[in-house]
Amino acid sequence: MDKLIELIRQKDNPSVVGLDPKPELIPEQLLDEYSHDRAGALADSYEAFNRAIIDAVCDIVPAVKPQIAMYEALGPVGLDVYCRTTRYAKSKGLYVIGDVKRGDIGSTAAAYAAHLSGVPFSDAMTGAEDIEDPWSQDCITVNPYLGEDGIEPFIRSAKETDKDIFILVRTSNPSSSQLQELNAEDGRPVFEHVAALVEQWGKETVGESGYSRSGAVVGATHPKAGARLREIMPHTFFLVPGFGAQGGTAKDVAAMFDSNGSGAIVNSSRGIIGAWKKEAKYSKDMNAQEALDLVMLSAQNAAIKMRNSLRAALRQ
Amino acid sequence: MDKLIELIRQKDNPSVVGLDPKPELIPEQLLDEYSHDRAGALADSYEAFNRAIIDAVCDIVPAVKPQIAMYEALGPVGLDVYCRTTRYAKSKGLYVIGDVKRGDIGSTAAAYAAHLSGVPFSDAMTGAEDIEDPWSQDCITVNPYLGEDGIEPFIRSAKETDKDIFILVRTSNPSSSQLQELNAEDGRPVFEHVAALVEQWGKETVGESGYSRSGAVVGATHPKAGARLREIMPHTFFLVPGFGAQGGTAKDVAAMFDSNGSGAIVNSSRGIIGAWKKEAKYSKDMNAQEALDLVMLSAQNAAIKMRNSLRAALRQ
C-alpha cells in the first residue's frame, strides 16, 4: 500500500473520489451532445464527464475509485469506457482503485486476478511476448465470502505487480448487519473474524509504511466498529466508503486512522461528482460546455471541502 | 425457476455444462488458426470452442453456465466473446446461467442488475425506446456478503424479466469453511444463516414448480451440508458446482434433490469441456477442425455419461 500512502502524503489528503456515473448525475446537455443510441450516448457522456471530474480533482486528491457496476450496466460498451477512464486517471498521476468486488473459488479467482496482472499479449508480426493491461487499475476490491483460496490469487498478483487489494470487511449499507454482525460462538461478530483473517492474509506483504497489500473496506457509517477494527488490524489500510451522501462524517471516520493520521482513505462519490446538482447557478439553458464547467468547479470545491474537513478532524 | 425446471424435465437431465474456457483447455491447433495478438487469438478461439461445445451438448443438457471471470481475464475483448457465447447458447434453446457472482450495496447492486434487465436503448433515427440485452442471461449468480439490500435489486429485476438468481450459500472450494462454517451463537454455521435468509428472500417469487426465483449455490463437495440445506430451504432450487473434477459424485449430490428428483441442477465444467484432453485419439498432428470434432465428440460423451449417472443416482 506504500504507493497509495505516499500519494496521500504528497497531497496531504486521505480522500478518494468515486467515479460512479449514473444517468441522473449527467447533465442533460451533455447527453444531448451524443446523437446515437441511448446506451452509446450514456457511455460517451460518462467518458466526457469522468475526464472533466479527473481534470478537476487530480491536483487535489491522490486517487479515484471507479465503480465498475455503473459501466457494466451499459454492457461491453460501458466496460470500454471504464478502461478508458482508468487509463486517463493513471495518465494524470492518480492511483486507481477499481471497485469491482470480485470473488470466486481459487482457479476462477486466478482468472479475475488478471484485473491486476493484465493480459498476455504477443505481437502477431514480431512474435514479441508482452503483457497488456486493459484495466489500468492499481488496486481492486475483493469479496471474502469464499475464504482464503479465493483471496490468495489476488494477493499473489498484487505482489507480482506492485499493486494492492481491499477486502470487504464491514460494508456501509444498512442490511450489511444481517450477515456481518451475526455473532459467532466466541461472541465476536462475523466481520471481526473476517478482519482477523484479512490482517493475517496481509502478513507477508507489509511494506515500508507498516501496511500490507491487503486492505479492508470499512464503512464510514459504522464508527464504533471502525475504531475496534483499527485495533484488530494494525497492518491493514482501510478504504472507507459511506462518507457524505450515505451519512458518514469526518468525525465518524477519524477513529479509523492510526495515531499518525495515516491508515485510511475515505471515499466520496455523489458528494463530489454530483455536487453540481446543488449549484443554484445551474440552468437547463446552459450549453454542454457550460454545464461541464460547472460540474468541474463544483467537484473541485467539494473535493477541497472534504479534504479540509478530514484534515481538521485528524488534527484535533 | 419454472423455466429451468421445465427444460430439465424435457431433457430428463438435471445437469449444466460450465463454459469456462482457459488457455490450457483450447487445442493448440485452434489457437494457431488466429494469427493476431494472443489475447485476441484466445478470445476468438474461446468463441469457436464454445460454439462447438454448445452444438455438441444442446440436445443433451438444459443449460450452460459460462464463468465470466475466464472472459474478463482477456479484458473487454473477452467480454464481447462472453456476450456472443450467451447469445449463441440462447439461440440453441439453452437456459443461460451467467456465473458472475456480483454483489454490492443497494444502489450499486441495482446497476449490476442490468445483467438481467438489459440496457435502455433508443434508436437515434426513429427515437423509439427499447431495451437491449447485451448479456443474454436467464439467470446470474450473486454474493450474499452485503445482505438483503444488495440482493433485493436482483430479485426485483428477476421478477420483472421472468429470470432467476442463485445466491452463494455453501461454495465448493476447500477454504470456504473459514467463513461459511464459522458457528454462530446458536451453534449453527454461518452458511445455514445465509440459507435461512435466502429461503426467506425467495418467499414472494415461488412459482408453479414450488421453487422461488432465488436459488442457492451449494457445492457438491459438501454432501452432508447439502442434505441439511435441502431441509432448511424447501422452496430454494440448488445450483451444485464441484461435480467431477473437483471431487463431487452423483451419490454426493443425490441428497440435494427433493423427493421427486427435482430441486437441483449439477454443474460440470472441466469434466465436459476438457474431456478431449483424456482422449487417446488426440494428436498434435490433427488440424483445427479435426481437433474441434474430437472436442465435440468427447464433450457429448461426457455429458451423456454425467446425465446417465445422475439419472441412476436419483432413481435409486
Side-chain angles (χ1 to χ4, degrees):
Chain A
M1 212 62 77
D2 293 354
K3 212 192 291 181
L4 174 60
I5 292 169
E6 173 56 21
L7 285 169
I8 292 172
R9 196 195 59 74
Q10 283 172 19
K11 289 179 176 156
D12 189 14
N13 183 5
S15 71
V16 46
V17 173
L19 297 176
D20 309 357
K22 296 177 191 185
E24 63 269 28
L25 290 178
I26 306 294
E28 272 177 44
Q29 299 92 327
L30 193 58
L31 263 168
D32 292 342
E33 285 284 281
Y34 301 100
S35 61
H36 41 65
D37 71 84
R38 181 160 166 85
L42 278 171
D44 284 343
S45 63
Y46 283 6
E47 188 174 358
F49 183 82
N50 285 342
R51 289 176 77 103
I53 298 283
I54 289 167
D55 287 341
V57 302
C58 66
D59 291 333
I60 304 161
V61 298
V64 288
K65 180 176 77 65
Q67 168 52 262
I68 202 168
M70 303 307 170
Y71 305 84
E72 212 167 299
L74 303 181
V77 66
L79 290 159
D80 287 332
V81 170
Y82 180 86
C83 292
R84 286 202 292 274
T85 295
T86 54
R87 193 162 60 227
Y88 187 69
K90 277 188 78 78
S91 79
K92 292 287 175 179
L94 292 163
Y95 179 94
V96 177
I97 302 171
D99 199 353
V100 303
K101 295 194 178 67
R102 299 304 193 245
D104 211 300
I105 65 169
S107 57
T108 309
Y112 275 133
H115 270 278
L116 298 175
S117 61
V119 176
F121 174 86
S122 63
D123 190 284
M125 302 296 281
T126 65
E129 300 280 337
D130 203 354
I131 296 287
E132 214 181 35
D133 181 11
W135 300 108
S136 308
Q137 300 159 135
D138 294 292
C139 176
I140 58 170
T141 56
V142 175
N143 187 304
Y145 191 67
L146 292 101
E148 184 167 3
D149 66 40
I151 298 291
E152 193 276 330
F154 293 106
I155 295 181
R156 195 171 358 120
S157 268
K159 264 199 271 191
E160 286 166 8
T161 56
D162 188 20
K163 295 185 176 180
D164 309 293
I165 62 173
F166 283 106
I167 303 167
L168 302 186
V169 172
R170 187 73 187 91
T171 58
S172 58
N173 58 318
S175 70
S176 59
S177 55
Q178 283 181 312
L179 174 49
Q180 296 165 27
E181 278 186 3
L182 191 65
N183 278 337
E185 275 177 334
D186 62 3
R188 293 187 302 143
V190 162
F191 75 82
E192 289 194 17
H193 285 267
V194 175
L197 287 170
V198 171
E199 174 74 11
Q200 181 198 315
W201 293 334
K203 262 189 180 164
E204 285 178 21
T205 63
V206 175
E208 286 178 15
S209 60
Y211 289 102
S212 78
R213 293 193 187 277
S214 316
V217 174
V218 179
T221 46
H222 311 292
K224 273 191 196 166
R228 171 99 184 96
L229 289 171
R230 180 41 56 236
E231 285 171 28
I232 301 177
M233 310 168 84
H235 304 98
T236 304
F237 203 80
F238 290 1
L239 170 63
V240 184
F243 184 89
Q246 282 182 58
T249 66
K251 208 179 136 228
D252 287 337
V253 302
M256 302 185 194
F257 287 78
D258 63 25
S259 54
N260 301 317
S262 179
I265 187 162
V266 182
N267 179 76
S268 176
S269 302
R270 269 173 291 172
I272 311 287
I273 70 172
W276 68 271
K277 298 196 82 165
K278 293 185 176 166
E279 288 282 350
K281 272 182 250 171
Y282 176 76
S283 145
K284 292 199 171 179
D285 298 331
M286 288 177 159
N287 67 31
Q289 190 54 54
E290 288 166 345
L292 216 43
D293 286 344
L294 188 65
V295 165
M296 291 179 71
L297 187 69
S298 53
Q300 208 160 49
N301 288 338
I304 290 172
K305 198 173 155 198
M306 181 177 174
R307 180 194 65 190
N308 294 349
S309 75
L310 285 172
R311 280 183 186 169
L314 290 173
R315 278 164 200 169
Q316 270 175 359
Chain B
M1 212 62 77
D2 293 355
K3 211 194 290 181
L4 174 60
I5 292 169
E6 173 56 22
L7 284 169
I8 291 172
R9 196 194 59 73
Q10 282 172 19
K11 288 180 176 158
D12 189 14
N13 182 6
S15 72
V16 46
V17 172
L19 297 176
D20 309 357
K22 296 178 191 184
E24 64 268 28
L25 290 178
I26 305 294
E28 272 176 43
Q29 299 93 328
L30 194 59
L31 262 167
D32 293 341
E33 285 283 282
Y34 301 99
S35 59
H36 42 63
D37 71 84
R38 183 162 165 85
L42 278 171
D44 285 343
S45 62
Y46 283 6
E47 187 174 0
F49 182 82
N50 284 343
R51 289 176 76 103
I53 298 282
I54 289 167
D55 286 342
V57 303
C58 66
D59 291 333
I60 302 161
V61 299
V64 288
K65 180 176 79 62
Q67 167 52 261
I68 202 169
M70 303 307 168
Y71 305 84
E72 211 166 299
L74 303 181
V77 65
L79 290 159
D80 286 332
V81 170
Y82 181 86
C83 291
R84 287 202 291 275
T85 295
T86 54
R87 192 161 62 228
Y88 187 69
K90 278 188 77 81
S91 80
K92 291 289 176 175
L94 292 163
Y95 180 94
V96 177
I97 302 170
D99 199 352
V100 303
K101 297 193 177 65
R102 299 303 192 245
D104 211 300
I105 65 168
S107 57
T108 309
Y112 275 134
H115 271 278
L116 298 176
S117 61
V119 176
F121 175 87
S122 63
D123 189 285
M125 301 297 281
T126 65
E129 299 281 336
D130 202 355
I131 295 287
E132 215 181 35
D133 181 9
W135 300 108
S136 308
Q137 300 159 135
D138 295 291
C139 175
I140 57 170
T141 56
V142 176
N143 188 305
Y145 191 67
L146 292 103
E148 184 167 3
D149 66 41
I151 297 290
E152 193 277 330
F154 292 106
I155 295 181
R156 194 170 358 119
S157 268
K159 263 200 269 190
E160 286 166 8
T161 56
D162 188 19
K163 295 185 175 180
D164 309 294
I165 62 172
F166 283 105
I167 303 167
L168 301 187
V169 173
R170 187 73 187 91
T171 59
S172 58
N173 58 317
S175 71
S176 59
S177 55
Q178 283 180 312
L179 175 49
Q180 297 165 27
E181 278 186 5
L182 191 66
N183 277 338
E185 276 178 333
D186 62 2
R188 293 187 302 144
V190 163
F191 75 82
E192 289 194 18
H193 285 265
V194 175
L197 287 170
V198 172
E199 175 75 11
Q200 181 198 317
W201 293 333
K203 262 189 179 163
E204 285 179 19
T205 63
V206 175
E208 286 179 13
S209 61
Y211 288 102
S212 79
R213 293 195 188 276
S214 317
V217 175
V218 180
T221 47
H222 310 293
K224 272 190 196 166
R228 171 100 185 96
L229 289 171
R230 180 41 55 236
E231 284 171 27
I232 302 177
M233 309 168 83
H235 305 97
T236 304
F237 203 80
F238 290 1
L239 169 63
V240 184
F243 185 88
Q246 284 183 57
T249 65
K251 209 180 136 224
D252 287 336
V253 302
M256 302 185 194
F257 287 79
D258 64 24
S259 55
N260 301 317
S262 181
I265 187 163
V266 182
N267 180 76
S268 177
S269 302
R270 270 172 290 172
I272 311 287
I273 70 172
W276 67 272
K277 298 196 82 166
K278 294 186 175 166
E279 288 281 351
K281 272 181 249 171
Y282 176 76
S283 147
K284 293 198 172 179
D285 298 331
M286 287 176 158
N287 66 32
Q289 190 55 54
E290 287 166 347
L292 217 43
D293 286 344
L294 188 64
V295 164
M296 291 180 69
L297 187 68
S298 54
Q300 208 162 49
N301 288 337
I304 290 171
K305 200 175 152 195
M306 181 179 175
R307 179 194 67 191
N308 293 348
S309 76
L310 285 172
R311 280 183 185 168
L314 290 173
R315 277 165 199 168
Q316 267 173 2

